[in-house]
Amino acid sequence: MLLADKYRPKDFANLDYHKEQATNLKNLTKDGEFPHLLVYGPLGAGKKTRITCILRELFGPGVERLKMETMNFTTPSNKKLEIMTISSNYHIEVNPSDVGIYDRVVIMDIIKNVAQSQQLNVNAAREFKVVILTDVDNLTKDAQHALRRTMEKYIANCRIIMCATSISRVIPAISSRCLCIRVPAPEESVIVDILQSTCKKEDISLPPVLAKRIAQASNRNLRRALLICETCKVEQYPFSDDQKIPELDWEVFIKKMAGKILENQSIETLSNVRKDLYELLSNDIPAGVIFETLLRELLRKSDVSIRETVIKEAAEHEHRLVQGNKQIFHLESFVAKFMYVYQTFMQEMFGDF
Amino acid sequence: MEAYLKSGKLGESSSKSSGKSAAPKKPKSIHWVEKYRPKAVTEVVDQSDVVSVLEQCLTGADLPNLLFYGPPGTGKTSTILAAARQLFGDMYKNRILELNASDERGIQVIRDKVKSFAQLTASGVRPDGKPCPPFKIVILDEADSMTHAAQAALRRTMEKETKSTRFCLICNYVSRIIEPLTSRCTKFRFKPLNENLAYERLAYICEQENVLIDDNDKLLNLLVERSGGDMRKAITWLQSCAILSGHKQKIGLQHVQEVTGVVPAHWLEEFLKVCKESKEFSALDSFVKKLLYEAFAVSQILDQLNEKIINSDEFNDKQRTIIGEKLGDVSFHLQEGGTEYIQLIELGNSIMKAYSIV
Ligand SMILES: Nc1ncnc2c1ncn2[C@@H]1O[C@H](COP(=O)(O)OP(=O)(O)O)[C@@H](O)[C@H]1O
Ligand SMILES: [Mg+2]
């Protein structure tokens, strides 16, 4: 079992950071007023852990008896859909984005079912069940609109806990129906502490210098930090202060791509980069992430005088990308534009011999 | 799923409910948004145009087809539900068909479901003998998410069933509704609630619910101000504060800031400072990353920055224009789904530029 899962705190008392928030969340579960929740924060900040604690506080250890099931749906156009769910007697969890543009059908079906089934167990601590929707920033607008009135209509028997990395993509009509809980990424020092204490439990000795380097490389993602730590251990144990810390494949890949672009602005490079972009997209790296990483790498190494133009182009291309469908076109067209701007600048600076 | 739906002890609960049906029920969980949803049209705050028309209908005038539009949390759904309850009394649920964005509302559904509902006869007396209007109301809530084809189908149905059925369309943007529909309805715009009236409503709820709140006036005003006239938001926030504070402790500024997602001022100051003092991209890059790790709503960051820049005498008009324009672009891109990182970098860069032109 991964360290990140093995030592995931199960109740509020054992949460390692944001302790004041934990007290607030515990208050939340005390009476019948439990509202719909929207829990948001960056990857690996501990959203899921907090949701698990809330469920346990609401329903007791029974929520930990989980089953995984595949549910089947039929869309109005008679398309058959399948989706994985995780559930207990008290809750059900799905990631509606798994069915892409059909997310609305799935969400409505589940919520209506839950609301109708009520809490049949008279001894249950609560008269409602919980539906957990993960990744709601990727819900279609259609699905988000559908949630609005549903959240009000079925609130007596069904509470919804939504989980998102950023609240910006959730329409205000939904966030105004929830208690929104922000979960900031843990500070680097907190990550260092948790790395240390986790290693201690496993009888691993982790030098402070390495712990700090791992924390820095983790992008303040606790889960990632623990994964890196495990990978490091496989590669070399006992640890040394300066041992190599593995980077994410796709990040290395994008950095290399940026290197190519900066080195030579030509048709060949462009067609080479196109292949790279295809590869990234086909490995499910989101276009927004590619854009962000690429832009950062390019800006890091270009002159301040072209910065404004490059940023503006990036923003416009990305805007077209989220509007349209062919993502690759906009990424590629941005690269071409960058090459042009960069080359023009270099020629002006150093002359064209 | 099957197992999940059948969870609990079926046998036990059914025997119990048939045995003593009057078994004391646990008090239903109470959400203030529902509890304080207006029950009569006169309870609807600050929407006097529509209220006065509906009041006439309650005293016998004919009800036109209605179109309510306006931002969320201004009372659109509540108003029509309250009117239906007053018109039809206890049987109002049988007299309305409420379809919202969660329901299947394709052409076929509009034709079949709405049509068959419209064709049911509606008598002019209630079960209790009182008179009531001899029609039914079809409520199409969140109508802006209906396709134009479905709207066109609705238009036919609407024409055919005028005698026995009234329609109430509800939406945020009237521009998303086709003209042949809007022209058949009396339109009412629901405006964001006036701050004083919203404040009074919140104060009333506080009194009813025995809410303890520090610095009463100031914090309630902060909630109202931040809610931008969205009453649902204001009430949800108030209750969230009460829950977070555990109902025993007083609600304090920290609770209000947390639920409303206000960004602490020092973050905005640091943002400006980084832009002012550094020419390096890396400084902006690492600040923006750090800020995003905090998970604040970027739209909130933009609002607060805008406020700060307008009110600060650090900037001259030219600088304000540069930043202001960029704030507009960035906020538009963000709404359309742009990456937060890129938007903040773009904004930061233009603030840097503004600082450099003094
Ligand atoms: N004009 C209003 N007067 C009083 N309460 C209101 C008003 N508008 C909204 N509210 C409150 O906000 C909640 C949501 O209102 P609703 O009518 O559903 O808004 P919408 O305009 O989004 O349909 C209601 O339950 C009520 O508590
Ligand atoms: Mg509504």
Side-chain angles (χ1 to χ4, degrees), chain A residues 148-149 152 177, chain B residues 37 72-73 75-78 141-142 170 172 232:
Chain A
R148 290 176 290 183
R149 184 81 182 111
E152 296 177 346
R177 286 168 164 86
Chain B
R37 193 185 273 286
K76 300 180 297 298
T77 306
S78 310
D141 207 342
E142 296 151 356
I170 303 180
N172 294 127
R232 175 189 295 109

Short mmCIF file of all heavy atoms in Angstrom, two decimals, chain A residues 148-149 152 177, chain B residues 37 72-73 75-78 141-142 170 172 232, ligand 2:
data_model
loop_
_atom_site.label_atom_id
_atom_site.label_comp_id
_atom_site.label_asym_id
_atom_site.label_seq_id
_atom_site.Cartn_x
_atom_site.Cartn_y
_atom_site.Cartn_z
N ARG A 148 -28.73 22.93 -10.17
CA ARG A 148 -29.21 24.07 -9.38
C ARG A 148 -30.47 23.76 -8.56
O ARG A 148 -30.46 23.72 -7.34
CB ARG A 148 -29.51 25.26 -10.28
CG ARG A 148 -28.29 25.89 -10.87
CD ARG A 148 -28.67 27.00 -11.81
NE ARG A 148 -29.29 26.47 -13.02
CZ ARG A 148 -29.67 27.23 -14.05
NH1 ARG A 148 -29.54 28.53 -13.99
NH2 ARG A 148 -30.22 26.68 -15.11
N ARG A 149 -31.57 23.55 -9.27
CA ARG A 149 -32.84 23.37 -8.58
C ARG A 149 -32.89 22.01 -7.87
O ARG A 149 -33.51 21.87 -6.83
CB ARG A 149 -33.98 23.52 -9.60
CG ARG A 149 -35.36 23.47 -9.02
CD ARG A 149 -35.81 24.79 -8.41
NE ARG A 149 -37.16 24.63 -7.85
CZ ARG A 149 -37.41 24.65 -6.55
NH1 ARG A 149 -36.44 24.88 -5.69
NH2 ARG A 149 -38.63 24.47 -6.10
N GLU A 152 -31.90 22.09 -4.36
CA GLU A 152 -32.91 22.61 -3.43
C GLU A 152 -34.02 21.59 -3.21
O GLU A 152 -34.47 21.36 -2.10
CB GLU A 152 -33.52 23.90 -3.98
CG GLU A 152 -32.52 25.01 -4.11
CD GLU A 152 -33.10 26.29 -4.72
OE1 GLU A 152 -34.22 26.25 -5.30
OE2 GLU A 152 -32.43 27.30 -4.63
N ARG A 177 -25.30 27.75 -3.39
CA ARG A 177 -26.16 26.78 -2.71
C ARG A 177 -25.37 25.90 -1.76
O ARG A 177 -25.90 24.94 -1.20
CB ARG A 177 -26.89 25.92 -3.75
CG ARG A 177 -28.01 26.65 -4.47
CD ARG A 177 -28.49 25.86 -5.67
NE ARG A 177 -29.78 26.30 -6.18
CZ ARG A 177 -29.95 27.29 -7.06
NH1 ARG A 177 -28.91 27.95 -7.52
NH2 ARG A 177 -31.16 27.61 -7.49
N ARG B 37 -37.98 30.84 2.73
CA ARG B 37 -38.45 31.08 1.37
C ARG B 37 -39.84 31.70 1.50
O ARG B 37 -40.69 31.16 2.22
CB ARG B 37 -38.53 29.75 0.62
CG ARG B 37 -38.69 29.88 -0.87
CD ARG B 37 -38.87 28.52 -1.51
NE ARG B 37 -37.64 27.83 -1.84
CZ ARG B 37 -36.85 28.16 -2.86
NH1 ARG B 37 -37.15 29.18 -3.63
NH2 ARG B 37 -35.76 27.48 -3.11
N PRO B 72 -29.36 35.07 -10.07
CA PRO B 72 -29.75 34.07 -9.07
C PRO B 72 -30.08 34.70 -7.72
O PRO B 72 -29.56 35.77 -7.40
CB PRO B 72 -28.51 33.18 -8.92
CG PRO B 72 -27.64 33.46 -10.09
CD PRO B 72 -27.99 34.83 -10.58
N GLY B 73 -30.95 34.02 -6.98
CA GLY B 73 -31.19 34.43 -5.61
C GLY B 73 -31.96 35.72 -5.46
O GLY B 73 -31.84 36.41 -4.46
N GLY B 75 -35.44 35.76 -6.06
CA GLY B 75 -36.82 35.44 -5.70
C GLY B 75 -37.69 34.93 -6.83
O GLY B 75 -38.91 34.83 -6.67
N LYS B 76 -37.10 34.58 -7.96
CA LYS B 76 -37.91 34.18 -9.11
C LYS B 76 -38.70 32.90 -8.82
O LYS B 76 -39.94 32.88 -8.93
CB LYS B 76 -37.02 33.98 -10.34
CG LYS B 76 -36.26 35.23 -10.73
CD LYS B 76 -35.38 35.02 -11.95
CE LYS B 76 -34.28 33.99 -11.76
NZ LYS B 76 -33.30 34.34 -10.71
N THR B 77 -37.99 31.85 -8.43
CA THR B 77 -38.67 30.59 -8.17
C THR B 77 -39.64 30.74 -7.00
O THR B 77 -40.79 30.29 -7.05
CB THR B 77 -37.64 29.48 -7.88
OG1 THR B 77 -36.72 29.42 -8.97
CG2 THR B 77 -38.31 28.14 -7.72
N SER B 78 -39.19 31.41 -5.94
CA SER B 78 -40.04 31.57 -4.75
C SER B 78 -41.33 32.29 -5.09
O SER B 78 -42.40 31.92 -4.58
CB SER B 78 -39.33 32.41 -3.69
OG SER B 78 -38.05 31.93 -3.46
N ASP B 141 -38.65 26.35 -15.08
CA ASP B 141 -37.58 27.03 -14.36
C ASP B 141 -36.28 26.81 -15.13
O ASP B 141 -36.12 25.82 -15.84
CB ASP B 141 -37.47 26.44 -12.95
CG ASP B 141 -36.90 27.44 -11.95
OD1 ASP B 141 -36.30 28.44 -12.39
OD2 ASP B 141 -37.05 27.22 -10.73
N GLU B 142 -35.37 27.74 -14.99
CA GLU B 142 -34.07 27.63 -15.66
C GLU B 142 -34.26 27.39 -17.16
O GLU B 142 -33.60 26.55 -17.77
CB GLU B 142 -33.25 26.51 -15.00
CG GLU B 142 -32.93 26.86 -13.55
CD GLU B 142 -32.76 25.68 -12.61
OE1 GLU B 142 -32.95 24.54 -13.05
OE2 GLU B 142 -32.44 25.90 -11.44
N ILE B 170 -38.81 30.93 -16.37
CA ILE B 170 -37.85 31.58 -15.47
C ILE B 170 -36.44 31.41 -16.04
O ILE B 170 -36.08 30.32 -16.46
CB ILE B 170 -37.91 30.96 -14.06
CG1 ILE B 170 -39.33 31.06 -13.51
CG2 ILE B 170 -36.91 31.64 -13.13
CD1 ILE B 170 -39.49 30.47 -12.12
N ASN B 172 -32.15 33.33 -16.24
CA ASN B 172 -31.23 34.38 -15.85
C ASN B 172 -31.09 35.41 -16.96
O ASN B 172 -31.04 36.60 -16.71
CB ASN B 172 -29.85 33.81 -15.52
CG ASN B 172 -29.86 32.93 -14.29
OD1 ASN B 172 -29.41 31.78 -14.33
ND2 ASN B 172 -30.41 33.43 -13.20
N ARG B 232 -30.07 34.36 -1.76
CA ARG B 232 -29.77 32.96 -1.42
C ARG B 232 -28.36 32.86 -0.87
O ARG B 232 -28.12 32.22 0.15
CB ARG B 232 -29.91 32.06 -2.64
CG ARG B 232 -29.47 30.63 -2.35
CD ARG B 232 -29.40 29.75 -3.58
NE ARG B 232 -30.70 29.55 -4.19
CZ ARG B 232 -31.07 30.09 -5.34
NH1 ARG B 232 -30.24 30.86 -6.00
NH2 ARG B 232 -32.25 29.85 -5.84
MG MG C 2 -34.56 29.52 -9.18
#
